[in-house]
């Protein structure tokens, strides 16, 4: 008979078995919302689920070439440890990909493969920051608050607004740059689906270079820029993706790119990500991840290398991927534009990139709704429309802004849900 351990203690707030940092780590807000949705779905309610930053494999399958190559690599026995910086073929494929698509030729020592982009972000924070060091990032943004907490770093938050497309300006960042060790930018941005303006990014990069020249003269550690552009191939409506390094080449020694196949190739569960940057930083990140063992599985690395080098296949996949994501974002945007034109207090930012749309339900203070979360709940219960408030991305104020993520829905589901949303907004306005 097996030893019955099923009644072992479950986690609790005042659990003394773990350290202080871990006790203070906040779980994902989105997972909490997802649990509520699961409950509704289990009761047979159909929900238009725009919460998860993920893809449903039914709506967005991974490229067949990638899928097939994973099988081929496993059959060929690619099952032992990969090198700690990634298999050579994949690092070379990423090197060619960046040269071909972004016009940036990095040395191989500047390319590190990991099990998705998350370990890359963790390793960047870990390699740059000591406890108490300052990390600056805009809010809303994705998970910087959690990484900063894990490192014991001092978060300095710059709150952005809709007028600047939720992107920080140099003027907003300026007061913090002289004390910061790490600045985290992301474009296209999760949660807003907006992209940084090239002029604004250039100004920020020039200022970082100037700051670092001064620090070098004083023998101080430089300010590092983490540029998370995991959604960079998903841009729409004529908005062009730009990189710090193409705009200001002198920033290259201080820049780490965060990237991977999770979003571009709808391959969130395949777990292949990479960092591209200066070897000085990348080699330290490799050492960190080597001890964590956060490598991408070897067969998936080999498969990704072969797939990335098939430029015809990747380009044709990306063309149809962009069109599918854009069709969903446009359907949502059109719907909210119609409601706005009809005088309802809603607005959406036209799709620019990623798989997200920013929508404001300007309903705080109406019909007893005092918070974004209360609006979210009402939309879920009455309209079966599931969205995530910007509070899940570090925003403190209840401004009525929400992230709508389209990777798990169809255009038909969106079209069917929009009239329910309109009816619910009208009910709220009528105070019912
Ligand atoms: C901006 C951003 N960076 C990184 C990641 C993590 O990607 P991965 O699934 O490859 O760890 C996400 C995932 O949602 C993201 O939105």
């Amino acid at each position: 008979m097996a030893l019955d351990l099923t009644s072992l203690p479950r986690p609790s707030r005042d659990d003394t078995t773990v350290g202080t940092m871990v006790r203070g780590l906040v779980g994902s807000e989105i997972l909490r919302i997802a649990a509520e949705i699961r409950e509704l779905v289990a009761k047979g309610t159909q929900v238009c689920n725009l919460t998860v930053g993920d893809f449903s494999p039914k709506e967005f399958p991974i490229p067949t070439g990638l899928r097939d190559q994973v099988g081929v690599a496993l059959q060929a026995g690619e099952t032992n440890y990969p090198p700690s910086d990634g298999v050579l073929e994949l690092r070379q494929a990423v090197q060619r990909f960046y040269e071909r698509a972004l016009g940036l030729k990095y040395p191989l020592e500047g390319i590190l493969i990991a099990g998705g982009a998350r370990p890359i972000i963790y390793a960047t924070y870990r390699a740059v920051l000591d406890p108490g060091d300052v990390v600056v990032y805009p809010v809303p943004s994705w998970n910087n608050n959690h990484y900063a907490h894990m490192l014991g770093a001092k978060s300095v938050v710059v709150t952005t607004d809709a007028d600047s497309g939720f992107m920080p300006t140099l003027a907003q960042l300026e007061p913090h740059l002289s004390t910061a060790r790490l600045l985290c930018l992301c474009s296209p941005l999760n949660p807003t689906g907006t992209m940084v303006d090239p002029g604004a990014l250039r100004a920020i990069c020039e200022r970082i270079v100037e700051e670092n020249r001064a620090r070098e003269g004083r023998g101080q550690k430089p300010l590092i820029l983490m540029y998370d552009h995991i959604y960079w191939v998903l841009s729409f409506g004529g908005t062009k993706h730009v990189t710090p390094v193409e705009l200001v080449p002198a920033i290259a020694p201080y820049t780490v790119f965060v990237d991977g196949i999770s979003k571009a190739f709808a391959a969130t569960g395949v777990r292949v990500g990479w960092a591209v940057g200066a070897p000085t930083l990348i080699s330290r990140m490799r050492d960190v991840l080597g001890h964590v063992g956060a490598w991408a599985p070897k067969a998936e690395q080999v498969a990704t290398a072969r797939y990335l080098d098939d430029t015809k296949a990747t380009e044709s996949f990306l063309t149809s991927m962009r069109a599918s994501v854009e069709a969903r974002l446009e359907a949502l945007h059109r719907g909210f534009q119609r409601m706005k034109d009809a005088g309802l207090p809603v607005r959406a930012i036209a799709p620019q990139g990623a798989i997200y749309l920013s929508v404001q339900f300007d309903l705080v203070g109406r019909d007893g709704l005092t918070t974004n979360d209360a609006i979210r709940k009402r939309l879920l219960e009455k309209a079966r429309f599931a969205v995530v408030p910007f509070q899940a991305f570090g925003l403190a104020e209840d401004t009525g802004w929400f992230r709508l993520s389209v990777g798990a829905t169809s255009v038909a589901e969106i079209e069917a849900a929009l009239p329910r949303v309109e009816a619910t907004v009208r009910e709220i306005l009528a105070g019912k």
Side-chain angles (χ1 to χ4, degrees):
M1 229 198 30
L3 183 61
D4 185 3
L5 301 167
T6 52
S7 59
L8 273 170
R10 302 299 193 266
S12 72
R13 274 207 158 275
D14 38 352
D15 192 348
T16 53
T17 52
V18 297
T20 318
M21 182 282 280
V22 163
R23 262 210 303 275
L25 193 61
V26 179
S28 165
E29 183 82 357
I30 300 171
L31 294 184
R32 184 179 63 79
I33 297 171
E36 275 180 35
I37 296 167
R38 261 200 310 281
E39 228 171 85
L40 280 177
V41 172
K43 285 187 207 146
T45 312
Q46 277 203 349
V47 174
C48 179
N49 187 355
L50 301 165
T51 58
V52 284
D54 195 3
F55 301 94
S56 118
K58 186 167 76 66
E59 296 292 334
F60 289 94
I62 62 168
T64 47
L66 178 60
R67 187 198 60 199
D68 295 347
Q69 288 294 347
V70 174
V72 169
L74 277 174
Q75 291 285 346
E78 301 283 9
T79 50
N80 58 331
Y81 282 131
S84 62
D85 47 4
V87 302
L88 181 63
E89 299 93 302
L90 180 53
R91 289 165 61 230
Q92 287 168 332
V94 170
Q95 187 184 42
R96 286 189 282 270
F97 186 39
Y98 268 47
E99 188 173 2
R100 182 169 80 231
L102 292 170
L104 303 174
K105 177 148 194 195
Y106 272 85
L108 269 182
E109 297 83 350
I111 297 165
L112 170 66
I113 311 299
R118 282 171 174 81
I120 295 293
I121 299 173
Y122 178 74
T124 308
Y125 270 74
R126 191 91 234 184
V128 174
L129 297 169
D130 286 317
D133 279 352
V134 172
V135 51
V136 180
Y137 54 86
V139 294
S141 67
W142 182 80
N143 275 6
N144 284 299
N145 48 346
H146 303 310
Y147 290 102
H149 175 81
M150 280 197 278
L151 266 293
K154 183 170 183 287
S155 284
V156 173
V157 157
V158 169
T159 303
T160 58
D161 56 31
D163 293 341
S164 61
F166 294 106
M167 286 291 167
T169 61
L170 175 58
Q172 286 174 308
L173 295 171
E174 181 60 56
H176 314 296
L177 294 183
S178 62
T179 51
R181 273 286 280 137
L182 183 64
L183 168 66
C184 300
L185 299 179
C186 174
S187 180
L189 180 63
N190 179 8
T192 60
T194 53
M195 288 170 71
V196 71
D197 168 72
L201 181 60
R202 184 194 303 275
I204 293 168
C205 294
E206 283 170 348
R207 176 69 188 87
I208 293 174
V209 169
E210 178 195 273
E211 171 68 22
N212 285 341
R213 295 231 162 97
R215 287 192 195 186
E216 208 179 309
R218 297 193 296 263
Q220 289 174 331
K221 292 178 189 152
L223 168 58
I224 302 300
L225 172 63
M226 186 183 87
Y227 194 67
D228 182 343
H229 69 165
I230 187 134
Y231 297 95
W232 68 272
V233 296
L234 298 174
S235 67
F236 322 105
T239 326
K240 191 181 169 320
H241 175 68
V242 287
T243 66
V245 177
E246 73 180 278
L247 296 175
V248 181
I251 202 165
Y254 316 111
T255 305
V256 177
F257 287 103
V258 176
D259 201 359
I261 64 169
S262 296
K263 311 292 174 160
F265 298 103
T268 48
V270 180
R271 308 311 302 149
V272 178
W274 53 80
V276 176
T280 38
L281 271 166
I282 296 291
S283 61
R284 304 301 182 161
M285 290 164 59
R286 174 201 60 208
D287 295 345
V288 169
L289 293 185
H291 289 301
V292 182
W295 308 305
K298 192 173 179 200
E300 300 184 353
Q301 293 196 41
V302 171
T304 303
R306 292 182 187 147
Y307 180 68
L308 272 187
D309 272 340
D310 187 347
T311 43
K312 236 172 112 191
T314 53
E315 272 160 28
S316 109
F317 179 86
L318 288 176
T319 303
S320 84
M321 171 90 186
R322 268 192 286 268
S324 302
V325 172
E326 190 174 12
R328 288 160 175 77
L329 292 171
E330 282 296 345
L332 278 171
H333 183 245
R334 268 196 313 274
F336 284 105
Q337 196 59 42
R338 270 198 304 272
M339 289 182 220
K340 181 172 185 260
D341 292 345
L344 298 181
V346 297
R347 64 171 162 154
I349 298 181
Q352 294 175 15
I355 55 173
Y356 309 115
L357 193 79
S358 289
V359 177
Q360 187 184 33
F361 293 90
D362 201 0
L363 297 169
V364 175
R366 308 268 195 161
D367 199 20
L369 299 171
T370 53
T371 62
N372 274 16
D373 203 53
I375 297 169
R376 176 193 69 76
K377 274 206 161 116
R378 186 75 67 90
L379 287 168
L380 179 60
E381 282 158 15
K382 295 280 178 169
R384 292 176 281 122
F385 194 69
V387 296
V388 182
F390 275 9
Q391 272 69 28
F393 307 98
L395 189 72
E397 295 81 18
D398 285 294
T399 53
W401 282 99
F402 292 81
R403 180 187 87 170
L404 279 54
S405 172
V406 298
T409 45
S410 63
V411 171
E413 274 179 277
I414 289 168
E415 302 283 12
L418 285 165
R420 302 199 300 265
V421 174
E422 177 165 350
T424 303
V425 172
R426 287 188 186 281
E427 256 180 46
I428 292 169
L429 293 177
K432 277 193 213 148

